[in-house]
């Protein structure tokens, strides 16, 4: 079986889609709210809407099954496309689940909001891999599963069935994955981890680095694995990842180091050896350069609460 590097990366940065709420309305309506989550999905389950947020000049028209990805935005305004006259119904933030329990998808505009939760070591990874606002269109061939997934999520949210809370969590995860899959197929993704993990030409080389991150990989060896010349491999890798191959490997090691320091009691010297560093001092220097503090201070900070220190990345 081909190594599923995207799944492994998701596990490494502990990415989760958490359904935060939604609303249903008909006629003329508008919903305004601050964006408290650094990454957020706004899904148009049924009906149509127009979404406006900071950083874009033109509103996004959302059709049934479409999803907007909001990356580090400060506010959003979502309104109906009803051109009628009269005052618009003012709705609260989608976190209120307004009217969902009695919604009729044949007549109502239905919106569901999902917060994207990720550990601090991976937050910058995802934010740098996505534009400020992305529009994933359900009508595209790459999003064939998105519409049905939203329908299933809506059913779980609105029906009080045994196990619904568990099901909603799982659908939130699947929604996030499906949205990112569709985005990768629909858009020109900027150089970074999403592109390098889905690049078929680089897959043999990245699989080797991920499988044995502590091995002293050389550029020639990785190029041979990818069936490319050394110069072609280096050029293509930089274009896709936004950095040279060995810089990518170093940053991947730092992600592994952060997870080990956060979740386990591995000694720093042992971790340094596992990740291919000649000494604890060399590892500590590399870690501090990438993350912004020593490994021991990092471990202490994450165990005492959300740290205010830098995050290691595998993207530029």
């Amino acid at each position: 079986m081909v190594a599923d590097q995207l799944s492994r990366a998701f596990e490494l940065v502990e990415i989760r889609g958490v359904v935060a709420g939604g609303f249903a309305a008909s006629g003329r309506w508008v919903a305004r709210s601050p964006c408290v989550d650094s990454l957020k999905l706004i899904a148009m389950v049924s009906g149509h809407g127009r979404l406006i947020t900071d950083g874009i000049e033109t509103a996004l028209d959302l059709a049934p099954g479409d999803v907007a990805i909001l990356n580090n935005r400060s506010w959003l305004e979502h309104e109906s496309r009803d051109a009628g006259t009269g005052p618009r119904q003012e709705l609260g933030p989608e976190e209120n689940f307004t009217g969902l329990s009695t919604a009729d998808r044949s007549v109502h505009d239905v919106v569901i909001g999902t917060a994207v939760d990720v550990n601090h070591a991976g937050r910058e990874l995802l934010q740098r891999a996505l534009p400020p606002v992305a529009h994933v269109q359900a009508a595209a061939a790459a999003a064939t599963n998105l519409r049905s997934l939203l329908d299933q999520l809506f059913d779980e949210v609105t029906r009080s069935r045994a196990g619904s809370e568990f099901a909603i969590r799982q659908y939130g995860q699947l929604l996030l994955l499906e949205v990112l899959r569709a985005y990768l197929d629909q858009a020109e993704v900027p150089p970074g981890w999403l592109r390098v993990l889905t690049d078929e030409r680089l897959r043999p080389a990245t699989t080797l680095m991920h499988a044995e991150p502590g091995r002293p990989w050389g550029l020639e060896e990785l190029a041979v694995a990818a069936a490319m010349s050394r110069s072609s491999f280096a050029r293509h890798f930089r274009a896709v990842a936004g950095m040279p191959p060995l810089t990518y490997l170093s940053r991947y090691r730092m992600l592994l180091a952060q997870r080990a320091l956060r979740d386990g009691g591995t000694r720093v010297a042992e971790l340094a050896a596992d990740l291919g560093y000649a000494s604890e001092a060399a590892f500590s220097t590399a870690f501090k350069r990438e993350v912004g503090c020593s490994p021991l201070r990092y471990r202490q900070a994450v165990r005492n609460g959300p740290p205010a220190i830098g995050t290691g990345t595998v993207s530029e």
Side-chain angles (χ1 to χ4, degrees), residues 16-19 153 156 163-175:
R16 296 187 302 139
V18 182
V19 177
L153 174 59
E156 289 294 344
S164 61
E165 291 184 7
F166 177 80
I168 290 169
R169 288 197 298 270
Q170 304 312 306
Y171 279 125
Q173 289 286 78
L174 291 173
L175 176 63

Side-chain angles (χ1 to χ4, degrees), residues 2-150:
V2 176
D4 187 353
Q5 298 182 67
L6 188 59
S7 291
R8 292 178 181 176
F10 275 22
E11 292 170 357
L12 183 60
V13 301
E14 299 174 342
I15 189 170
R16 296 187 302 139
V18 182
V19 177
F23 61 79
S26 58
R28 302 188 72 218
W29 54 265
V30 61
R32 303 182 181 92
S33 66
C35 287
V36 297
D37 304 297
S38 57
L39 287 164
K40 192 175 187 68
L41 307 180
I42 301 296
M44 201 80 212
V45 179
S46 65
H48 294 80
R50 299 174 70 249
L51 189 143
I52 307 167
T53 186
D54 52 320
I56 60 173
E57 297 180 356
T58 305
L60 291 182
D61 286 322
L62 299 182
D66 284 7
V67 178
I69 307 173
L70 305 184
N71 180 11
N72 205 26
R73 301 298 86 199
S74 60
W75 58 270
L76 69 91
E77 179 176 303
H78 203 181
E79 64 182 14
S80 66
R81 283 170 44 182
D82 190 316
T85 59
R88 294 186 298 185
Q89 178 186 1
E90 296 272 350
L91 302 174
E94 77 276 356
E95 286 80 1
N96 290 343
F97 289 97
T98 305
L100 283 183
S101 60
T102 57
D104 181 348
R105 280 173 286 179
S106 66
V107 297
H108 286 98
D109 300 320
V110 177
V111 174
I112 285 181
T114 300
V116 180
D117 187 23
V118 64
N119 68 34
H120 61 276
R123 187 170 296 114
E124 191 174 345
L125 277 177
L126 196 56
Q127 288 180 335
R128 290 189 180 188
L130 296 170
V133 180
H135 183 190
V136 176
Q137 297 174 292
T144 53
N145 294 328
L146 193 53
R147 185 78 179 271
S148 62
L149 182 59
L150 285 173

Side-chain angles (χ1 to χ4, degrees), residues 156-267:
E156 289 294 344
V157 168
T158 56
R159 297 170 64 187
S160 300
R161 297 195 296 174
S164 61
E165 291 184 7
F166 177 80
I168 290 169
R169 288 197 298 270
Q170 304 312 306
Y171 279 125
Q173 289 286 78
L174 291 173
L175 176 63
L176 172 59
L177 175 60
E178 200 62 41
V179 166
L180 288 178
R181 280 174 172 169
Y183 170 70
L184 287 168
D185 286 335
Q186 291 181 21
E188 180 62 33
V189 182
W193 76 295
L194 283 178
R195 275 187 65 183
V196 76
L197 292 178
T198 53
D199 188 283
E200 293 298 327
R201 295 180 66 191
L202 296 179
R203 183 185 294 273
T206 53
T207 297
L208 290 177
M209 288 189 280
H210 291 176
E212 297 184 76
R215 182 169 168 176
W217 295 105
L219 190 59
E220 185 71 33
E221 192 174 10
L222 294 171
V224 169
M228 301 167 69
S229 70
R230 176 177 172 143
S231 58
S232 295
F233 173 74
R235 185 167 53 252
H236 183 65
F237 198 104
R238 181 184 283 274
V240 172
M243 68 190 75
L246 299 186
T247 301
Y248 174 90
L249 174 60
S250 176
R251 294 189 174 183
Y252 181 68
R253 288 170 173 169
M254 290 301 105
L255 273 180
L256 294 174
Q258 288 175 81
R259 181 178 65 176
L261 291 166
R262 182 179 67 251
D263 298 340
T266 307
R267 294 173 56 249

